[in-house]
Amino acid sequence: MNPQKLSFLVPLLLALASLLPLQADKPNVLFIATDDMNCDLSAYGHPLVHSPQIDRLASRGILFERAYSQNPVCNPSRTSFLTGLYPEQTHILTNAGHFREHIPQVLTMPQHFRNNGYYVARVGKLYHYGVPGQIGTNGRDDPASWEEVRNPIGVDKAVESDLNIIIEGASSGGTLSWLEVVSQEYEHTDGIGAAQCIELLEANHPEKTGRPFFIAMGFYRPHTPYVAPHTYFDMYPKSLINPYIMPEDDRDDIPKAALQDRPGQLELGVEIRKEIIQAYYASITLVDTQVGKLLDALDRLNLSDNTIIIFVSDHGYHLGAHGLWQKSDLFEGSARVPLIISAPGEKFARGEIAKSPTELVDLYPTLSELCGLEQPSHVMGKSLSPVLADPNTQLRESAYSVTEARTVRRADKSKFLGRTIRTNRYRYTEWDEGDFGVELYDYETDPEELTNLAGNPESANLVKRLQQELQNRMAEAAVEW
Ligand SMILES: [Ca+2]
Ligand SMILES: [Ca+2]
């Protein structure tokens, strides 16, 4: 049958799908993704950052203390958690390319919910999206994933010519750039996005449609440029900000490939560091306010008791540790992400902290299980449902992350990967399977990962054990499907 003859069937099938009785009592999903947000949040114990709404969400759910991005770069991380595959399986290991070029048939998480009768929509950045360049566009979206989309654009786009930036003429989204704006939070792209998300919640309430929803809200901050209202900057007086300055010899034992420096960042002075951190924190609180509006809307619409909420960032962020800023390396600051999951139901714990190593590839199987959807066979990761029921559950021995070395290449100029595992206590990292360096950090004795123990003779047995675990994880993450 040709496609034109088939097309008349589509409205008929949709009409039939909407009549399915089993859908209405399935839980809804509100999937909140932030961009470049690290764990400098009050819920994670940060002494300065105001994030009361994220705290409020944490009190309703489980906070994952050891959650890690599969790849601390936007496109590979998002592609991984939205497809349920590891970056080596999606072939997306940098911000270049789109996964459909490599794995055209993959069933993404939102697509899976669509196929199961859910209303599925996106507001803002879920798949990769150049920030700030593509704000207001579809970015590098995957149209098959969504029934409806919204692309907010706000005052932060209008002030781009006024941005502060550490390197004149550089791309504001690629380096450190910021601006304090006399404005209201609801005029910013993320404020407009939150309002659009609430409109979708109202218009697609299961009581009106007879269908559960999966709505993904992708915030753009605190990705650079850190643009936020003046009142948010006022919450962080520079006198209270003490920028981290690494010990002078910290880099002596770090392989060169592990140091993914960007121009002009190593030599930043203390005063400008304060300004940058102030703007980053102002942007976090701007997002926090928006999270509060979404929680209020769920309460007001009587949806809180039947809606699963995921709050996650695509990767972490450095503010000077090891002399690094931003992301893409394999240190804790860059690989670790905030992750909070609130699931309705008596059997799940509330307001507790889970310490098991957790991966973002676990989100797809988790949501599938919580919503009673069959698990697609390609999906990697493990459902976090047992951890939500008992936060002491140890689901994994290690969390695996991979990245492409940005500042070093092999002698023949080819690129190589760094791979790392984080266990409850240690991080073990190999660059090009060890040819460009090995790292071992013990967070129990060295939370700032200042001492690389990999070359220490006393660590030999431990290195051997962790090397075996890394090899097992590499083999799992590279399975062709
Ligand atoms: Ca990002
Ligand atoms: Ca060191």
Side-chain angles (χ1 to χ4, degrees):
M1 206 181 275
N2 74 34
Q4 272 174 343
K5 282 191 181 160
L6 270 176
S7 66
F8 79 93
L9 280 171
V10 174
L12 185 66
L13 289 172
L14 285 174
L16 282 173
S18 67
L19 294 176
L20 291 176
L22 62 143
Q23 301 299 347
D25 53 358
K26 280 202 182 291
N28 307 296
V29 177
L30 178 62
F31 191 106
I32 304 171
T34 63
D35 200 0
D36 288 27
M37 185 182 279
N38 66 18
C39 293
D40 286 359
L41 300 170
S42 39
Y44 279 82
H46 196 277
L48 192 58
V49 173
H50 302 284
S51 45
Q53 302 302 330
I54 297 168
D55 291 357
R56 178 179 160 201
L57 177 59
S59 73
R60 295 182 183 187
I62 299 299
L63 179 146
F64 291 79
E65 177 79 26
R66 294 189 185 122
Y68 295 91
S69 168
Q70 254 50 67
N71 185 321
V73 177
C74 295
N75 190 15
S77 173
R78 290 163 183 264
T79 297
S80 170
F81 68 68
L82 288 166
T83 59
L85 291 167
Y86 286 99
E88 286 136 301
Q89 297 178 297
T90 65
H91 306 279
I92 296 296
L93 288 138
T94 68
N95 276 342
H98 192 284
F99 63 94
R100 294 283 180 200
E101 295 157 14
H102 306 278
I103 45 170
Q105 299 305 328
V106 71
L107 183 70
T108 69
M109 171 163 57
Q111 233 182 332
H112 186 41
F113 277 79
R114 282 188 83 179
N115 288 355
N116 280 277
Y118 272 68
Y119 166 78
V120 179
R122 155 184 83 73
V123 180
K125 178 172 175 174
L126 267 297
Y127 291 100
H128 184 49
Y129 218 104
V131 173
Q134 290 180 313
I135 289 178
T137 74
N138 280 320
R140 306 222 60 206
D141 202 13
D142 178 52
S145 288
W146 321 105
E147 188 172 328
E148 197 168 2
V149 301
R150 293 283 186 280
N151 296 309
I153 179 166
V155 67
D156 39 295
K157 279 294 283 178
V159 297
E160 277 176 14
S161 57
D162 300 332
L163 293 172
N164 300 289
I165 189 161
I166 61 163
I167 299 173
E168 216 44 63
S171 145
S172 62
T175 188
L176 304 169
S177 63
W178 66 98
L179 191 67
E180 176 176 347
V181 188
V182 177
S183 57
Q184 301 292 331
E185 48 78 20
Y186 55 77
E187 300 172 297
H188 287 251
T189 299
D190 284 338
I192 292 167
Q196 291 175 336
C197 185
I198 293 166
E199 282 168 21
L200 293 180
L201 287 168
E202 288 167 347
N204 298 282
H205 196 295
E207 281 173 10
K208 286 187 190 166
T209 63
R211 300 161 71 194
F213 62 78
F214 178 114
I215 297 181
M217 174 69 237
F219 291 113
Y220 295 81
R221 300 275 100 86
H223 195 293
T224 53
Y226 322 123
V227 183
H230 59 299
T231 45
Y232 286 71
F233 277 69
D234 293 346
M235 293 178 196
Y236 302 102
K238 279 182 259 179
S239 57
L240 295 182
I241 295 172
N242 293 308
Y244 181 86
I245 307 287
M246 66 169 177
E248 225 167 87
D249 62 352
D250 180 20
R251 291 185 158 217
D252 294 355
D253 59 359
I254 301 176
K256 201 166 179 312
L259 294 166
Q260 307 223 9
D261 292 313
R262 291 176 182 77
Q265 300 189 343
L266 194 53
E267 49 274 65
L268 291 169
V270 172
E271 282 312 307
I272 198 163
R273 285 172 191 243
K274 288 187 180 187
E275 212 171 303
I276 291 163
I277 293 168
Q278 177 189 43
Y280 181 74
Y281 289 168
S283 301
I284 286 183
T285 301
L286 173 66
V287 173
D288 182 77
T289 300
Q290 311 315 322
V291 171
K293 290 184 200 167
L294 301 184
L295 298 180
D296 288 345
L298 291 177
D299 287 348
R300 174 171 56 82
L301 297 168
N302 229 348
L303 288 165
S304 296
D305 290 344
N306 199 28
T307 300
I308 299 161
I309 306 171
I310 302 266
F311 175 85
V312 69
S313 174
D314 57 355
H315 48 76
Y317 209 74
H318 284 300
L319 299 169
H322 311 297
L324 299 170
W325 293 80
Q326 304 180 258
K327 56 212 176 183
S328 75
D329 58 84
L330 294 179
F331 288 108
E332 189 77 355
S334 180
R336 183 176 178 229
V337 296
L339 172 64
I340 298 167
I341 302 179
S342 161
E346 290 294 306
K347 67 174 182 168
F348 298 122
R350 302 265 172 267
E352 293 190 41
I353 294 176
K355 296 199 167 171
S356 170
T358 304
E359 302 185 343
L360 296 193
V361 79
D362 296 332
L363 296 178
Y364 191 154
T366 302
L367 285 174
S368 294
E369 183 180 342
L370 293 178
C371 296
L373 274 46
E374 199 183 319
Q375 200 79 260
S377 61
H378 77 273
V379 172
M380 308 295 286
K382 298 183 179 191
S383 170
L384 299 170
S385 174
V387 186
L388 296 173
D390 174 6
N392 294 316
T393 306
Q394 184 79 10
L395 196 71
R396 296 179 167 284
E397 282 300 306
S398 66
Y400 174 80
S401 306
V402 58
T403 198
E404 188 177 274
R406 292 172 60 250
T407 52
V408 180
R409 294 208 180 172
R410 298 189 186 114
D412 65 2
K413 306 280 182 224
S414 59
K415 296 174 179 178
F416 61 85
L417 299 176
R419 297 181 177 90
T420 190
I421 47 167
R422 173 68 155 92
T423 69
N424 280 333
R425 179 167 174 178
Y426 301 103
R427 175 176 296 290
Y428 176 73
T429 306
E430 291 184 354
W431 294 92
D432 204 14
E433 300 182 32
D435 289 354
F436 283 83
V438 178
E439 294 165 87
L440 171 64
Y441 301 104
D442 179 351
Y443 293 96
E444 204 169 287
T445 59
D446 179 24
E448 293 177 9
E449 53 197 7
L450 292 175
T451 307
N452 179 3
L453 299 167
N456 188 338
E458 287 161 28
S459 309
N461 283 337
L462 178 61
V463 165
K464 215 169 151 186
R465 181 166 71 74
L466 292 171
Q467 187 173 41
Q468 186 57 55
E469 169 77 3
L470 177 63
Q471 279 169 7
N472 296 345
R473 298 306 316 277
M474 275 169 64
E476 182 192 347
V479 170
E480 291 281 340
W481 60 283

